[in-house]
Amino acid sequence: MSNKLLAPDGWLVLGLPWPEQTQDGWGECAVAVAPTMIPRHLVSKGAGIALDLATGLARDPNDGPGKAVFFSDVTLWLDKQGKDWADFRADYEAVIDELVKAPVPQLYMTLVQKAHAILCDASRDGVRLYYLGGDVEHVTPQVRADVHAALTTSLERDWPPYIQGLIDRGALQTR
C-alpha cells in the first residue's frame, strides 16, 4: 500500500455552512479531501483545477500555506494572479458542493467559529471579527498561519486512522 494514502502531500479543506447545532462552541463545519487521491475523471474541470491548484500550493514552500490548503487559499492565489473562478468557467460554490458530494474519502472536521471564519475568508486584507462586547479583531497573516498549522496537525493525526479504517472495512481499495 502506498504511504500516500495515509500521508498525502496535502489536503484541500472546504468550509461548510456553520451548523445550527454546536457543542461548547465547536461545530462540524469543514471537510478535508486529499487531492492526489481523487481521480480527475470523477470531477468536473473546475473541481479538477481546484484540486490541482491545492496540490501545487501544498507543495510550494514559498507561496503555499502548508499541507492544509483552504479553498479560500486557492481563491486568494488566483486573485494574486489576476484571475478568479469565472476565468475557468467555474462557479466556486458549485465546485465546493461537487467536492463535498464526490464519492471520495472525506474527513469531516469540527472547528470553533473563529477558525471557521478564517478558513472561509478569501479577502485580500484578512477578515475582521466582531465580538459581542464591541471588540474587533483583524485577523493577521500570522493568525491565519496558526489556523493552517492547527488543521495540519489535526489532519496528520486523524487522516491515517480514518483511511486505515476505510481500507480495513474494504471501502477503499489500495490497488
Side-chain angles (χ1 to χ4, degrees):
M1 170 181 47
S2 169
N3 191 39
K4 295 289 184 187
L5 293 176
L6 298 176
D9 291 339
W11 296 273
L12 176 58
V13 184
L14 308 163
L16 303 174
W18 183 253
E20 290 182 27
Q21 299 289 328
T22 62
Q23 185 172 357
D24 298 324
W26 292 79
E28 188 176 88
C29 59
V31 64
V33 297
T36 55
M37 290 179 64
I38 300 175
R40 296 308 185 260
H41 73 273
L42 290 179
V43 296
S44 68
K45 179 181 176 186
I49 290 168
L51 294 169
D52 291 343
L53 290 174
T55 299
L57 284 171
R59 293 175 178 165
D60 186 335
N62 299 318
D63 287 333
K67 290 178 70 173
V69 177
F70 305 163
F71 191 89
S72 61
D73 294 324
V74 177
T75 301
L76 283 165
W77 185 86
L78 287 173
D79 182 65
K80 287 179 187 174
Q81 310 311 309
K83 299 191 178 305
D84 62 25
W85 290 105
D87 292 321
F88 300 100
R89 296 189 177 141
D91 174 338
Y92 74 92
E93 290 176 343
V95 168
I96 292 170
D97 189 55
E98 177 185 354
L99 291 172
V100 168
K101 292 177 180 173
V104 299
Q106 304 173 347
L107 185 62
Y108 281 79
M109 303 181 78
T110 302
L111 308 174
V112 294
Q113 198 165 14
K114 178 179 176 177
H116 177 257
I118 293 167
L119 164 70
C120 296
D121 176 45
S123 65
R124 291 178 184 156
D125 298 323
V127 68
R128 283 183 169 47
L129 303 172
Y130 295 85
Y131 296 97
L132 291 176
D135 291 336
V136 178
E137 177 184 2
H138 180 224
V139 173
T140 64
Q142 182 58 55
V143 172
R144 188 174 175 96
D146 293 346
V147 173
H148 276 103
L151 292 185
T152 297
T153 297
S154 178
L155 286 163
E156 288 175 337
R157 177 193 67 224
D158 298 340
W159 187 266
Y162 164 65
I163 294 298
Q164 190 62 58
L166 291 176
I167 293 167
D168 293 348
R169 289 192 315 273
L172 182 63
Q173 302 299 316
T174 59
R175 291 184 188 179

